Amino acid sequence: MDRLAITGGFRLEGQIPISGAKNAALPLMCASLLTKNKLTLSNLPHLADIKTLQMLLEGHGVKSTILQDGEKPGEGQVISFETPDITNTVAPYDIVRKMRASILVLGPLLAREGEATVSLPGGCAIGNRPIDLHLKGFEAMGAKIELEEGYVRASAPNGRLTGGKVHFPTVSVGATENILMAATLASGMTTIENAAREPEISDLAHCLNAMGAEITGIGTRTLEVKGKETLHGAEYAVMPDRIEAGSYAIAAAMTRGEIELIGDNLLDVMTGTVGVLKEAGVDFKETDNGVIVTLGSEKIKGVDVTTQPYPGFPTDMQAQLMAMMTQCDSASVINESIFENRFMHVPELCRMGADITMHGSTAIVRGVDQLLGAPVMATDLRASMSLVLAGLVADRQTFVNRIYHLDRGYERLVEKLSAVGAKITRDANLGI
Ligand code: UD1
């Protein structure tokens, strides 16, 4: 397996183009199942998860054509997705187990074909992650749900879902997206209450409207969807990745550097992250092309944070913030309220000399003078990034193993960090 070798201690300076958001791209690709016509998506990042979903979609009859490979840094891919007929309504275990977001084919398949069978995604490194909210939502739209041999079989009586009221007791990004997509082709009105408000959901809703859907309340807790007989094709550009942007903002602050993040409306979509980073002493200055990030204070200030659904501080930034807080002037309290087991980076950061104690879902991070490079192991996508960030300021070399997690979610990580002065290489087959 490959590993990353990072020599810490270099100040980062320059520009980093922010890629299209993985978490927006995946549901947008699934939305292509809702129409016979072509959905052309631009600004798609080159990521393992995009390829995995492409493969899954092809199994359902989607013809995807790469119109622009986006090989230059800062350029995304342009891919068209066309599904004249759904050739198969089964999403197999082999692919679904690799990527939980595969569950997002369930809504579109069920809505267009009146039936779908999708493997249960199973557990995952950051917690149980059930799909009960998705399933209850489909039931509220008249679907019959059966669980059999590790698969969810969903069917709509008379072949079409009916609009209804879907109230989520807990905010769920994936469930909101799945129900939203399904509702666009259901008969009648669907109201989604306590919907997630993440910008990726608004991105999906705007794309669906461009495809002929009628969704109102975008960006609020209540989405209203007037179902249509059919949707049509569209062209749509994926929004920038606010988690990638936040991760590089932290890299700028930790290395006392100055990085211009290149992308549209970054500060708007990064609300929760920017608020907390400002408290920690980070400065953001908007430019014509994006935003310049620097550390405005002498030292990073300790902050007390609880992860929350948007617009709160995102759970997907928790591990990276923790790496940053290992360098704070005092102590920081980080509470994880979304996923029950999202602290697997803690023992690895401690191996690098961090001072972190855990109390249930709360971590107390005391700032240390210097992290020390060490061989470490990535356990999930964002945990992996926290180890990279720690490596950027650690004394001597850090080797990050199992970097296939990073390949799932950070486009051209080595290239982007090297361009701003980081000493980072990818060593083929040297990892464990
Ligand atoms: C999405 C993001 C992920 C992010 C998460 C929270 C994608 C591809 N992934 O994941 O990066 O960390 O949002 O912002 O966009 N839950 C249930 N039952 C359900 C569904 C969820 O109990 O049916 C719980 C989960 O276990 C979790 C919470 O709800 O505790 C939020 O999960 P959810 O928002 O659904 O996360 P994902 O959509 O899986």
Side-chain angles (χ1 to χ4, degrees), residues 18-23 173 197-201 239-249 261 265-274 308-317 320 382 410:
I18 298 306
S19 300
K22 168 180 86 77
N23 286 356
V173 173
R197 287 190 288 162
E198 270 64 5
E200 292 77 12
I201 289 172
M239 64 171 278
D241 195 319
R242 64 196 168 98
I243 306 301
E244 188 198 29
S247 304
Y248 290 130
L261 306 170
N265 306 323
L266 290 177
L267 287 184
D268 294 343
V269 289
M270 287 167 73
T271 325
T273 300
V274 166
Q308 296 284 354
Y310 191 84
F313 185 80
T315 172
D316 282 354
M317 285 298 302
Q320 302 90 312
R382 308 304 170 185
Y410 285 90

Side-chain angles (χ1 to χ4, degrees), residues 29-45:
M29 288 167 68
C30 292
S32 70
L33 289 166
L34 291 163
T35 173
K36 283 179 180 299
N37 307 127
K38 215 179 259 182
L39 175 65
T40 303
L41 297 176
S42 54
N43 202 29
L44 282 167

Side-chain angles (χ1 to χ4, degrees), residues 23 100 129-134 172-174 316 338-339 342:
N23 286 356
R100 192 188 144 78
R129 302 182 85 174
I131 56 160
D132 55 314
L133 299 173
H134 302 237
S172 161
V173 173
D316 282 354
I338 309 286
F339 293 112
R342 202 167 198 181

Side-chain angles (χ1 to χ4, degrees), residues 250 272-282 295 297 299-307 313 317-318 320-335 362-367:
I250 287 184
T273 300
V274 166
V276 168
L277 294 187
K278 278 186 176 169
E279 254 182 76
V282 182
L295 183 62
S297 59
K299 275 207 95 176
I300 291 165
K301 297 178 199 156
V303 289
D304 293 353
V305 176
T306 296
T307 58
F313 185 80
M317 285 298 302
Q318 181 256 104
Q320 302 90 312
L321 180 74
M322 196 174 302
M324 180 176 174
M325 285 301 131
T326 64
Q327 306 293 290
C328 78
D329 59 356
S330 49
S332 165
V333 180
I334 300 179
N335 179 255
T362 301
I364 298 174
V365 190
R366 294 184 175 80

